[in-house]
């Protein structure tokens, strides 16, 4: 596996805990997006980006500066995977929209994107994170579907590991 880092933004700790689970399973480190620098980006071939979703499908607050840091960096040739936290019951019309915002902010960066997930098995009405019929990364609802979180993480890691 090439140099990999899990970068997350978390307001309540849920996305942070998920980032730590993912990093532990991959044997890599995490960094809070508040601490993201160009040097961190440059030192890693693989970036796993995680955000919670707020309001009407918006990024977690710390990601606005983090997204600018990513946009200012040379992401060409890097491999990027996304994971997002959302609430499919209370916010079914913007489920994991923050993950879609991240993708839209860097989709033309020259990076290679991996880790899309079928929408089958998810209950939601709409999501900016669905592109070409699939989620652009791993969607998680640790509030309403916490019993599915670990299995979804394990399946996603199995799918992306060979590409890291």
């Amino acid at each position: 596996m090439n140099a990999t880092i899990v970068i997350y933004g978390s307001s309540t700790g849920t996305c942070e805990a998920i980032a730590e689970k993912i990093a532990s399973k991959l044997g890599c480190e995490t960094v809070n997006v508040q601490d993201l620098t160009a040097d961190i980006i440059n030192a890693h071939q693989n970036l796993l980006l995680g955000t919670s979703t707020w309001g009407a499908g918006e990024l977690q607050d710390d990601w606005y500066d983090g997204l600018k840091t990513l946009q200012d960096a040379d992401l060409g040739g890097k491999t990027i995977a996304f994971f997002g936290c959302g609430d499919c019951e209370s916010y079914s019309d913007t489920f994991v929209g923050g993950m879609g915002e991240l993708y839209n902010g860097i989709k033309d960066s020259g990076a290679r994107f991996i880790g899309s997930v079928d929408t089958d098995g998810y209950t939601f009405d709409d999501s900016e994170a669905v592109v070409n019929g699939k989620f652009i990364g791993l969607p998680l609802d640790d509030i309403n579907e916490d019993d599915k979180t670990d299995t979804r993480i394990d399946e996603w890691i199995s799918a992306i590991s060979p590409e890291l």
Side-chain angles (χ1 to χ4, degrees), residues 1-7 26 40-49 70 74-82 103 106 109-116 136 156 159-164:
M1 183 169 77
N2 291 315
T4 300
I5 192 156
V6 178
I7 303 163
L26 288 171
I40 292 171
I41 295 167
N42 293 335
H44 296 88
Q45 175 61 33
N46 304 317
L47 309 173
L48 280 61
L49 310 177
L70 286 172
D74 179 7
L75 300 178
K78 295 205 181 281
T79 299
I80 296 177
F82 301 96
Y103 170 74
I106 60 172
S109 66
R112 180 173 70 106
F113 298 100
I114 64 169
S116 64
I136 51 94
W156 185 69
I160 67 169
S161 290
E163 300 187 63
L164 301 174

Side-chain angles (χ1 to χ4, degrees), residues 3 6 13 19 21 48 50 65 69-70 81 84 87 114-115 120 126 128-129 138 157 160:
V6 178
K21 275 185 190 181
L48 280 61
D65 288 337
T69 301
L70 286 172
D87 180 337
I114 64 169
D120 296 342
D126 195 22
E128 188 177 342
L138 174 65
I157 287 173
I160 67 169

Side-chain angles (χ1 to χ4, degrees), residues 79-92:
T79 299
I80 296 177
F82 301 96
F83 62 97
C85 300
D87 180 337
C88 68
E89 290 183 13
S90 298
Y91 298 96
S92 68

Side-chain angles (χ1 to χ4, degrees), residues 42-162:
N42 293 335
H44 296 88
Q45 175 61 33
N46 304 317
L47 309 173
L48 280 61
L49 310 177
T51 184
S52 48
T53 299
W54 292 92
E58 298 165 12
L59 283 171
Q60 188 271 343
D61 288 342
D62 300 323
W63 263 112
Y64 288 100
D65 288 337
L67 182 55
K68 175 131 180 55
T69 301
L70 286 172
Q71 290 168 332
D72 290 343
D74 179 7
L75 300 178
K78 295 205 181 281
T79 299
I80 296 177
F82 301 96
F83 62 97
C85 300
D87 180 337
C88 68
E89 290 183 13
S90 298
Y91 298 96
S92 68
D93 59 336
T94 59
F95 181 55
V96 295
M99 186 168 62
E101 294 252 339
L102 272 182
Y103 170 74
N104 287 331
I106 60 172
K107 67 182 177 184
D108 297 323
S109 66
R112 180 173 70 106
F113 298 100
I114 64 169
S116 64
V117 172
D118 285 328
T119 58
D120 296 342
Y122 288 89
T123 303
F124 68 102
D125 292 321
D126 195 22
S127 178
E128 188 177 342
V130 174
V131 176
N132 298 324
K134 290 186 168 191
F135 286 106
I136 51 94
L138 174 65
L140 298 167
D141 181 346
D142 208 47
I143 296 166
N144 302 298
E145 300 180 337
D146 60 321
D147 58 319
K148 297 178 182 178
T149 297
D150 288 335
T151 300
R152 287 176 171 166
I153 289 171
D154 289 344
E155 289 173 356
W156 185 69
I157 287 173
S158 291
I160 67 169
S161 290

